[in-house]
Amino acid sequence: MERFSGNPILRPIPEHPWESRGVFNAGVIYHKGAFHVFYRAFGNDDISKIGYAKTTDGFHIDERLPDPIFEPANDAEVNGVEDPRIVKCEDQLLMTYTAVREYGHRQVFQVALTSLDLNDFEQHNWNWGARRLPFPGIRNKDATIFPKKINDRYVMLHRIEPDLCIAYSTNLDNWCDIRCIMKPRPENWDDLKIGAAGTPFELNDGWLTLYHGVNMNNVYHLGVIMMDKNNPEHILHRSKDPILSPKADYERFGKVPNVVFSCGDALVDDKLFVYYGGGDSSLNVATIPIDELLAAIIA
Ligand code: BMA
């Protein structure tokens, strides 16, 4: 992957209390000629909120809103809304995120899901819909929804440690057929735990999805899988080597060192733009032509 030489593309803004210390993991959609970036941010209170920025060329930010567009709003997420992943599905945006609540030193987290009408999004009316908990009370994160229904059902990837799992729903409220579909690989860069990165893309040969793998030294890498078009439970290919590993200073140092963590990517003109948090502190972008990526995993 080629890192953008101007990384990080987003840094904290000390004058904005909600995003003064870290801006990183971001869900991304490409819509009407621009990349829309929904990023996680925190300040001194350590409570993550979600901000919005836009870039037309994928690298340089042309617009960044001064206030968060999504904040904790109920008990389940009172200590943070983290790691947004966002997808355009029919006429709405679906956003999955991690809802965090703390009991003393114990952190409880779970998957949460909300939606925004595409029209509202285009007008910057942040009228988010109901906040759902697809797996109430289950320790779960890294959820992402496929951009279209498969066999009339919404499909979600999520992570019940340490595995990559799947679930299905007809109405976004009730999720069923929860199954583990991929496990960490012993003695490898993804041997501790794995989870989906951004949203799956439909290509001729199947669904392409980036995922993160953590090893026993707590180093976060990015890899990629190809899933069967009609049955994504069937993993057709899995990258042997990581496609991105912490190397640059902004990946090796930060609030949490040695982390490249992606929640969003976009395929534009046959090039994959991968947005990722570096060291849980800044937002960065790296690109790769899709043919090169496919050659690497199918080899
Ligand atoms: C994961 C998530 C991410 C974070 C990563 C590395 O569990 O909490 O938000 O980027 O750990 O710290």
Side-chain angles (χ1 to χ4, degrees):
M1 298 218 52
E2 187 179 346
R3 289 170 175 82
F4 172 49
S5 59
N7 278 343
I9 59 166
L10 282 182
R11 298 173 191 266
I13 299 183
E15 297 76 29
H16 293 173
W18 64 278
E19 57 173 349
S20 60
R21 288 187 44 228
V23 296
F24 52 127
N25 307 340
V28 175
I29 56 161
Y30 187 76
H31 181 62
K32 296 201 170 162
F35 300 78
H36 303 272
V37 178
F38 297 77
Y39 62 93
R40 173 178 169 193
F42 67 90
N44 283 334
D45 62 4
D46 231 349
I47 295 180
S48 287
K49 298 173 181 165
I50 297 173
Y52 168 85
K54 187 177 106 180
T55 156
T56 307
D57 67 1
F59 301 108
H60 301 92
I61 301 294
D62 337 291
E63 184 184 354
R64 180 172 177 178
L65 297 183
D67 297 309
I69 53 137
F70 192 80
E71 300 186 46
N74 60 51
D75 284 352
E77 58 192 37
V78 70
N79 294 102
V81 290
E82 303 185 350
D83 299 351
R85 291 167 170 92
I86 205 148
V87 62
K88 230 181 343 176
C89 187
E90 294 162 355
D91 55 357
Q92 53 182 350
L93 301 189
L94 300 176
M95 181 168 81
T96 42
Y97 60 97
T98 308
V100 178
R101 176 168 192 181
E102 279 164 15
Y103 295 89
H105 290 299
R106 199 166 68 92
Q107 197 189 61
V108 175
F109 59 82
Q110 58 186 309
V111 169
L113 161 63
T114 187
S115 59
L116 184 66
D117 286 344
L118 207 48
N119 279 331
D120 280 337
F121 164 65
E122 288 175 354
Q123 308 297 320
H124 283 192
N125 286 333
W126 307 110
N127 290 327
W128 298 95
R131 300 185 184 205
R132 304 161 161 106
L133 296 173
F135 317 104
I138 307 271
R139 201 179 140 83
N140 192 341
K141 53 169 70 170
D142 302 325
T144 187
I145 295 182
F146 283 64
K148 70 175 207 196
K149 292 180 183 166
I150 302 177
N151 301 324
D152 296 325
R153 295 196 293 180
Y154 294 99
V155 184
M156 185 198 283
L157 298 176
H158 57 109
R159 200 278 300 286
I160 300 179
E161 272 186 40
D163 302 326
L164 180 69
C165 302
I166 204 162
Y168 303 88
S169 176
T170 51
N171 56 12
L172 296 172
D173 289 320
N174 309 101
W175 293 84
C176 63
D177 295 343
I178 299 169
R179 283 191 270 273
C180 153
I181 59 168
M182 194 169 96
K183 292 189 161 300
R185 278 181 295 207
E187 319 254 322
N188 228 308
W189 57 273
D190 52 0
D191 58 0
L192 182 62
K193 51 186 181 177
I194 53 176
T199 304
F201 294 100
E202 190 171 19
L203 300 178
N204 288 338
D205 300 331
W207 292 100
L208 187 89
T209 310
L210 266 51
Y211 76 99
H212 68 262
V214 189
N215 70 12
M216 298 292 174
N217 296 320
N218 265 321
V219 178
Y220 281 71
H221 304 263
L222 283 179
V224 60
I225 52 177
M226 176 75 86
M227 314 165 90
D228 185 277
K229 229 176 193 172
N230 299 312
N231 176 12
E233 295 185 19
H234 185 205
I235 312 284
L236 304 174
H237 303 285
R238 177 174 182 176
S239 53
K240 189 166 152 290
D241 299 315
I243 59 163
L244 193 73
S245 299
K247 197 167 113 193
D249 283 357
Y250 52 81
E251 300 160 354
R252 290 175 50 229
F253 305 106
K255 188 180 183 219
V256 181
N258 294 315
V259 175
V260 291
F261 192 92
S262 177
C263 293
D265 40 4
L267 184 59
V268 179
D269 295 337
D270 293 331
K271 196 191 252 193
L272 189 67
F273 289 71
V274 179
Y275 293 85
Y276 65 97
D280 282 3
S281 299
S282 64
L283 185 71
N284 305 285
V285 60
T287 57
I288 185 168
I290 192 72
D291 288 354
E292 253 178 58
L293 187 63
L294 291 175
I297 64 163
I298 294 174

